[in-house]
Amino acid sequence: DVKVTQSSRYLVKRTGEKVFLECVQDMDHENMFWYRQDPGLGLRLIYFSYDVKMKEKGDIPEGYSVSREKKERFSLILESASTNQTSMYLCASRVGGGKNGYTFGSGTRLTVV
Amino acid sequence: GNSVTQMEGPVTLSEEAFLTINCTYTATGYPSLFWYVQYPGEGLQLLLKATKADDKGSNKGFEATYRKETTSFHLEKGSVQVSDSAVYFCALSRNSGNTPLVFGKGTRLSVIA
């Protein structure tokens, strides 16, 4: 089975800190995605990547950036954490093509204080 | 644009009751359709999918049929268990290219003994 691993389940950071959320997948998937999940808002796409060194903005990219230097790793960066970025962050990967579903990681619950 | 609308929850059922969670979609062309499940404290897991009209996806007693004429993909289960308590997400994807999935907002199901 494909495994998507997010480095932390729970994270507490201070306002203004630079925060790195790491995601690694082990099945050579081309596509990787970062979402945030908030009550009543569902899943919102932050950034995604079709391949190494490629990135595309999703619906809510403001305040975030990403890095994909290797195919298996997709990092989400909060440049200067703010309290409104307190959320559950979900990483997913997919072999290329729309007929294939995502494999999700377990999520990182980030609290910014 | 593409969008997914699913019934708002929460849905509360007694054990062994019949479950239906409605999902309708708007899309150009003929997308692939998915149901994901999220158990408490976890990431999303693919429950079932259908990639063309009239296909039926099934898994763990859950079923959904891709209805092009009504643009629907309703999730059903004949007899729910307490262990089915979770949040269920309907999603669609264009079959060509690498476009991200579009998710509904999720429906929380609680099954009581």
Side-chain angles (χ1 to χ4, degrees):
Chain A
D1 281 353
V2 177
K3 194 167 182 183
V4 177
T5 303
Q6 293 185 232
S7 53
S8 305
R9 288 300 300 270
Y10 300 94
L11 214 50
V12 180
K13 295 292 182 181
R14 296 197 179 278
T15 302
E17 276 193 76
K18 191 169 187 176
V19 180
F20 293 85
L21 302 183
E22 305 289 347
C23 176
V24 177
Q25 50 95 3
D26 65 358
M27 281 299 289
D28 205 35
H29 283 179
E30 293 90 353
N31 301 168
M32 295 188 75
F33 307 85
W34 275 106
Y35 289 83
R36 63 177 283 178
Q37 182 180 18
D38 300 289
L41 298 177
L43 276 72
R44 293 182 290 169
L45 181 64
I46 306 171
Y47 267 97
F48 58 105
S49 169
Y50 293 143
D51 207 340
V52 178
K53 297 192 184 295
M54 296 183 69
K55 59 185 179 184
E56 298 282 344
K57 291 180 179 179
D59 301 317
I60 53 163
E62 297 78 18
Y64 303 94
S65 63
V66 289
S67 172
R68 194 162 180 207
E69 295 297 317
K70 294 185 177 182
K71 195 171 188 178
E72 67 270 19
R73 185 180 296 271
F74 191 38
S75 304
L76 180 69
I77 304 157
L78 285 64
E79 299 291 344
S80 177
S82 64
T83 55
N84 63 13
Q85 292 178 311
T86 292
S87 187
M88 169 70 92
Y89 289 87
L90 294 168
C91 176
S93 73
R94 179 181 68 184
V95 66
K99 292 186 179 183
N100 303 304
Y102 291 172
T103 299
F104 279 89
S106 298
T108 296
R109 185 165 293 282
L110 173 67
T111 302
V112 182
V113 297
Chain B
N2 298 334
S3 66
V4 174
T5 301
Q6 59 181 107
M7 62 188 286
E8 290 190 22
V11 174
T12 302
L13 295 174
S14 297
E15 209 166 21
E16 299 184 3
F18 185 87
L19 168 71
T20 300
I21 300 178
N22 291 337
C23 171
T24 57
Y25 67 89
T26 302
T28 53
Y30 303 105
S32 290
L33 300 171
F34 304 84
W35 276 102
Y36 282 83
V37 58
Q38 185 180 33
Y39 298 104
E42 298 183 13
L44 280 70
Q45 302 173 24
L46 179 63
L47 182 59
L48 53 84
K49 71 175 186 180
T51 59
K52 61 183 188 295
D54 300 324
D55 267 2
K56 179 187 282 189
S58 61
N59 187 23
K60 298 181 181 179
F62 291 89
E63 293 184 340
T65 301
Y66 188 162
R67 303 281 189 203
K68 186 179 65 162
E69 62 277 8
T70 54
T71 62
S72 65
F73 192 55
H74 303 322
L75 183 68
E76 297 181 334
K77 186 176 186 183
S79 175
V80 293
Q81 305 300 312
V82 171
S83 57
D84 294 326
S85 298
V87 181
Y88 293 83
F89 292 88
C90 185
L92 70 80
S93 176
R94 285 173 50 191
N95 281 333
S96 61
N98 291 308
T99 53
L101 265 64
V102 175
F103 287 90
K105 290 194 173 180
T107 303
R108 182 176 298 277
L109 169 67
S110 295
V111 180
I112 53 177

